[in-house]
């Protein structure tokens, strides 16, 4: 099977890492995999698995990608192509009107659509365009049941048209990645260290985490390591200064060994206002690391099965988060149970579920009936 994955670029991000892991699994199973990129750039270019073909569409503006996608679909003739961002879904489905042969199109939704600023120019048209164009999709995939429900309501799509496939993001070589070297100064012996990870943007709400950590720090020794970078870094550094916790907070920036940090953490905290899935929650569990997470829409509660595998707290509530962090640090966790839960989100399991979907839709075309279901 020839599988195409359509992305803007390979700049670091959860979707990009997910797709590289899926590509690795499919290559190992004997399939041909192509990465169709608007631009061949990004820090993850060096992580592309051997054997994966990169197709540079050569477009700088998303709106200009449709002609390039049509040329790709007609020239390469993949059996299936899957997009992984809102605007990529739209462009791929638009290009689907001009496809030839038996290429199947899969649109995948990774975020809570209703959480986007639908009043803005960037996301405002998305629900309408989804509704107009998703008739060209042979399958629609959401990464969590909550995202699927939200997508159906936001775009007036039949819920039964949407498949749910949880992200498979735990790699086969997890054990080796967990022992990769990290800066030992980040994890001093005898001091519990809390790790958070993500782009420094409002969605991740590290401001609430810093306020909660300041409360924790008043009661016990602890350290906080926030991995990642982004436009809010200066504001977060200033907040840590104002809270008087600068000496106990580290922000080392983007790291290419996240599992090594998660394995050394006493606790992982997700402070997000919303998530489509929450990859790093599953990654932390796979390392046997306890988790405190906001009960944000929509992924974390599904991963943690409520409070079975972690502690959920309200969004933007520093007092509740501080209390939960203290409880988590004091609790005796069954680390092996956490690892087993995390292992259920393996790359191999996710790749197998997608292949099952691809084979199913390969048995049929884009019929008029399918289009009427969405139109």
């Amino acid at each position: 099977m020839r599988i195409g994955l359509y992305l803007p670029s390979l700049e670091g991000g959860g979707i990009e890492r997910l797709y590289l892991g899926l590509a690795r699994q499919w290559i190992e199973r004997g399939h041909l995999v192509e990465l169709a990129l608007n631009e061949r750039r990004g820090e993850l270019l060096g992580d592309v698995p051997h054997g994966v073909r990169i197709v540079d569409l050569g477009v700088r503006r998303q709106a200009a990608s449709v002609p390039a996608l049509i040329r790709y679909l007609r020239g390469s003739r993949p059996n299936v192509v899957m997009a992984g961002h809102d605007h990529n879904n739209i462009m791929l489905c638009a290009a689907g009107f001009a496809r030839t042969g038996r290429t199947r199109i899969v649109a995948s939704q990774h975020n809570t659509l209703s959480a986007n600023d639908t009043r803005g120019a960037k996301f405002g048209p998305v629900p309408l365009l989804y509704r107009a164009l998703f008739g060209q999709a042979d399958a629609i995939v959401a990464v969590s049941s909550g995202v699927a429900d939200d997508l159906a309501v936001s775009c007036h799509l039949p819920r039964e048209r949407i498949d749910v496939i949880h992200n498979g993001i735990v790699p086969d070589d997890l054990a080796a990645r967990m022992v990769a070297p990290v800066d030992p100064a980040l994890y001093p012996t005898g001091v519990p260290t809390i790790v958070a990870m993500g782009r420094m943007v409002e969605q991740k709400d590290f401001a609430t985490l810093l306020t909660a950590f300041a409360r924790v720090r008043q009661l016990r020794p602890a350290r906080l390591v926030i991995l990642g970078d982004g436009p809010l870094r200066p504001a977060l550094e200033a907040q840590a200064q104002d809270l008087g916790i600068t000496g106990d907070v580290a922000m080392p920036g983007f790291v290419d060994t996240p599992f090594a940090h998660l394995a050394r953490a006493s606790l992982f905290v997700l402070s997000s206002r919303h998530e489509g899935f929450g990859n790093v929650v599953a990654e932390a569990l796979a390392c046997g690391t306890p988790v405190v997470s906001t009960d944000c829409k929509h992924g974390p509660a599904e991963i943690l099965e409520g409070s079975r595998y972690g502690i959920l707290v309200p969004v933007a509530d520093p007092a509740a988060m501080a209390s939960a962090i203290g409880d988590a640090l004091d609790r005796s966790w069954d680390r092996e149970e956490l690892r087993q839960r995390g292992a259920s989100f393996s790359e191999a399991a996710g790749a197998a579920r997608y292949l099952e979907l691809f084979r199913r839709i390969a048995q049929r075309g884009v019929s008029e009936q399918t289009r009427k279901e969405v139109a």
Side-chain angles (χ1 to χ4, degrees):
M1 183 181 296
R2 184 185 294 271
I3 303 169
L5 297 172
Y6 174 44
L7 295 166
S9 68
L10 284 178
E11 291 186 340
I15 297 175
E16 288 74 17
R17 291 183 182 278
L18 170 69
Y19 278 19
L20 290 179
L22 292 174
R24 185 181 305 108
Q25 292 289 330
W26 294 331
I27 286 286
E28 291 175 357
R29 287 162 172 76
H31 300 282
L32 300 175
V33 181
E34 299 170 336
L35 288 173
L37 307 177
N38 284 345
E39 297 182 78
R40 183 178 178 140
R41 61 178 173 83
E43 60 265 33
L44 295 178
L45 278 171
D47 294 337
V48 175
H50 178 72
V52 173
R53 175 179 175 239
I54 297 179
V55 179
D56 186 353
L57 299 179
V59 294
R60 299 287 298 272
R61 295 176 60 251
Q62 184 74 68
S65 61
V66 172
L69 278 168
I70 292 173
R71 290 192 295 271
Y72 165 65
L73 294 176
R74 291 180 172 180
S76 186
R77 292 179 177 268
N79 298 102
V80 62
V81 182
M82 181 166 67
H85 289 274
D86 294 356
H87 293 84
N88 291 69
N89 284 330
I90 291 167
M91 299 306 160
L92 179 59
C93 287
F97 283 101
R99 60 179 148 169
T100 59
R102 298 180 59 81
T103 297
R104 304 292 182 255
I105 287 176
V106 177
S108 64
Q109 189 65 24
H110 291 257
N111 62 65
T112 303
L113 193 60
S114 64
N116 292 333
D117 182 7
T118 54
R119 296 165 299 176
K122 182 176 181 181
F123 290 107
V126 169
L128 179 62
L129 289 170
Y130 270 14
R131 174 122 172 107
L133 295 172
F134 268 14
Q136 282 296 310
D138 297 272
I140 305 168
V141 176
V143 297
S144 67
S145 295
V147 166
D149 295 341
D150 179 82
L151 180 62
V153 172
S154 298
C155 301
H156 305 287
L157 299 173
R159 177 61 178 83
E160 62 271 16
R161 281 272 288 131
I162 305 171
D163 290 279
V164 174
I165 300 180
H166 288 151
N167 287 346
I169 36 74
V170 178
D172 294 340
D173 61 346
L174 174 64
R177 297 194 190 199
M178 287 170 59
V179 298
V182 300
D183 182 357
L186 294 174
Y187 303 94
T189 303
V191 180
T193 302
I194 301 156
V195 167
M197 188 184 310
R199 184 162 164 75
M200 293 179 176
V201 293
E202 289 186 3
Q203 176 199 346
K204 302 302 181 182
D205 197 11
F206 291 130
T208 290
L209 174 57
L210 286 173
T211 302
F213 177 73
R215 291 172 178 252
V216 172
R217 189 61 190 85
Q218 290 174 352
L219 302 176
R220 65 201 305 161
R223 280 182 55 78
L224 172 63
V225 177
I226 302 178
L227 304 172
D229 218 328
L232 293 185
R233 170 184 278 275
L236 294 172
E237 291 174 337
Q239 181 185 358
Q241 181 73 36
D242 292 342
L243 291 168
I245 56 175
T246 301
D248 296 311
V249 176
M251 301 182 192
F254 177 84
V255 298
D256 56 6
T257 55
F259 290 104
H261 289 269
L262 291 170
R264 289 166 172 80
S266 307
L267 177 69
F268 173 77
V269 177
L270 184 88
S271 52
S272 297
R273 297 179 182 181
H274 60 88
E275 290 282 351
F277 183 67
N279 287 354
V280 72
V281 174
E283 292 170 341
L285 292 177
C287 294
T289 301
V291 173
V292 168
S293 173
T294 52
D295 190 12
C296 63
K297 296 179 178 180
H298 282 102
E302 291 183 37
I303 298 170
L304 297 174
E305 288 192 1
S307 298
R308 179 175 178 182
Y309 295 103
I311 301 176
L312 293 169
V313 298
V315 172
D317 188 334
M321 182 173 288
S323 177
I325 288 172
D327 290 346
L329 291 175
D330 290 334
R331 183 183 300 187
S332 178
W333 295 88
D334 185 338
R335 305 288 178 128
E336 184 56 33
E337 184 178 47
L338 300 183
R339 293 187 188 97
Q340 290 178 5
R341 177 58 178 168
S344 67
F345 303 103
S346 68
E347 288 179 353
R353 294 184 187 110
Y354 274 106
L355 285 177
E356 181 182 351
L357 172 68
F358 296 164
R359 293 187 181 109
R360 171 161 56 86
I361 63 176
Q363 303 305 313
R364 57 178 172 81
V366 183
S367 66
E368 287 300 319
Q369 179 60 36
T370 298
R371 295 176 187 175
K372 289 177 182 178
E373 288 177 358
V374 180

